[in-house]
């Protein structure tokens, strides 16, 4: 049994939020496709862009190479963000699939003297400590961790109390909000 969030829906909602705010050139910071979460969140980004009638520009998608070493990965990501923003000065928003990528973006934007959110808005997936304590604080996709915990506990208790040892595992999907 497992309880998961709807990564595609959450990313789609986040990018639609940016579009509603007038943002049209949205940089995506994501993982390589073999990481399911990144792939699903990328799909949500793409769907929102296409549904809004915007042009999908693959040059505005940075797929971060997973080195399992953030000390090496973050400077490389920051260099990629800096290069992309310099090459495409029309970028007016960034959607990051996690808080670490968003924090890297904030750092690059601060060093480039780009005002967040006035010049470039930043939204990230996950509403954890990094986004709460960053400057400025980040708009986030909430995964509703309390709801996930309650649902997981409910499923576990039901499983433990059940006499049906043949019951198939189930997956509960929790919707995200921005």
């Amino acid at each position: 049994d497992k309880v998961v969030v709807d990564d595609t829906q959450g990313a789609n909602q986040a990018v639609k939020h940016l579009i509603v705010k007038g943002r049209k050139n949205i940089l995506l910071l994501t993982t390589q496709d073999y990481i399911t979460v990144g792939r699903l969140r990328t799909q949500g980004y793409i769907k929102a862009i296409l549904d809004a009638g915007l042009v999908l520009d693959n040059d505005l998608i940075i797929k971060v190479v997973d080195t399992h070493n953030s000390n090496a990965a973050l400077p490389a990501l920051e260099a990629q963000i800096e290069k992309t923003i310099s090459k495409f000065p029309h970028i007016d928003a960034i959607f990051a699939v996690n808080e670490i990528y968003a924090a890297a973006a904030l750092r690059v934007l601060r060093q480039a003297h780009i005002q967040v959110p006035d010049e470039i808005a930043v939204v990230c997936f996950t509403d954890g400590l990094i986004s709460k304590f960053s400057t400025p604080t980040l708009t986030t996709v909430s995964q509703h961790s309390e709801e996930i915990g309650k649902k997981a506990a409910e499923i576990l208790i039901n499983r433990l109390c059940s006499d049906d040892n043949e019951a198939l595992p189930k997956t509960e999907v929790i919707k995200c909000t921005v």
Side-chain angles (χ1 to χ4, degrees):
D1 297 322
K2 61 183 173 179
V3 180
V4 298
V5 296
D6 190 336
D7 290 296
T8 304
Q9 172 268 331
N12 183 272
Q13 191 176 19
V15 175
K16 282 183 177 177
H17 170 80
L18 289 167
I19 293 168
V20 165
K21 297 286 186 184
R23 309 304 172 135
K24 307 236 181 289
N25 300 291
I26 303 166
L27 176 64
L28 171 64
L29 306 177
T30 189
T31 63
Q32 297 290 320
D33 286 339
Y34 66 86
I35 299 174
T36 306
V37 169
R39 185 179 68 249
L40 294 172
R41 292 174 186 179
T42 298
Q43 289 170 358
Y45 164 89
I46 291 170
K47 182 172 177 9
I49 295 292
L50 296 177
D51 285 353
L54 300 175
V55 174
L56 178 62
D57 184 346
N58 287 320
D59 289 330
L60 296 185
I61 298 175
I62 296 176
K63 292 189 178 190
V64 179
V65 176
D66 182 16
T67 63
H68 298 291
N69 178 359
S70 62
N71 290 335
L74 286 179
L77 172 58
E78 289 176 4
Q80 281 184 287
I81 294 167
E82 186 177 359
K83 179 181 171 185
T84 304
I85 288 173
S86 294
K87 186 175 179 182
F88 302 100
H90 62 284
I91 291 171
D92 57 9
I94 297 173
F95 172 58
V97 299
N98 62 46
E99 289 181 308
I100 293 171
Y101 296 176
L106 285 179
R107 186 169 148 137
V108 169
L109 296 172
R110 187 172 32 256
Q111 289 172 348
H113 305 288
I114 295 172
Q115 298 296 311
V116 176
D118 299 333
E119 296 174 72
I120 296 180
V122 180
V123 173
C124 72
F125 217 102
T126 312
D127 54 342
L129 292 175
I130 293 172
S131 55
K132 285 181 180 73
F133 291 105
S134 65
T135 303
T137 55
L138 291 166
T139 299
T140 62
V141 175
S142 176
Q143 296 177 307
H144 304 290
S145 54
E146 277 190 35
E147 187 178 343
I148 290 170
K150 286 178 186 176
K151 182 55 78 176
E154 176 186 313
I155 291 170
L156 177 61
I157 290 167
N158 288 341
R159 183 69 71 186
L160 292 171
C161 294
S162 174
D163 291 332
D164 184 4
N165 293 330
E166 302 293 320
L168 294 174
K170 68 166 123 177
T171 299
E172 292 283 338
V173 180
I174 306 297
K175 297 286 183 197
C176 302
T177 57
V178 176

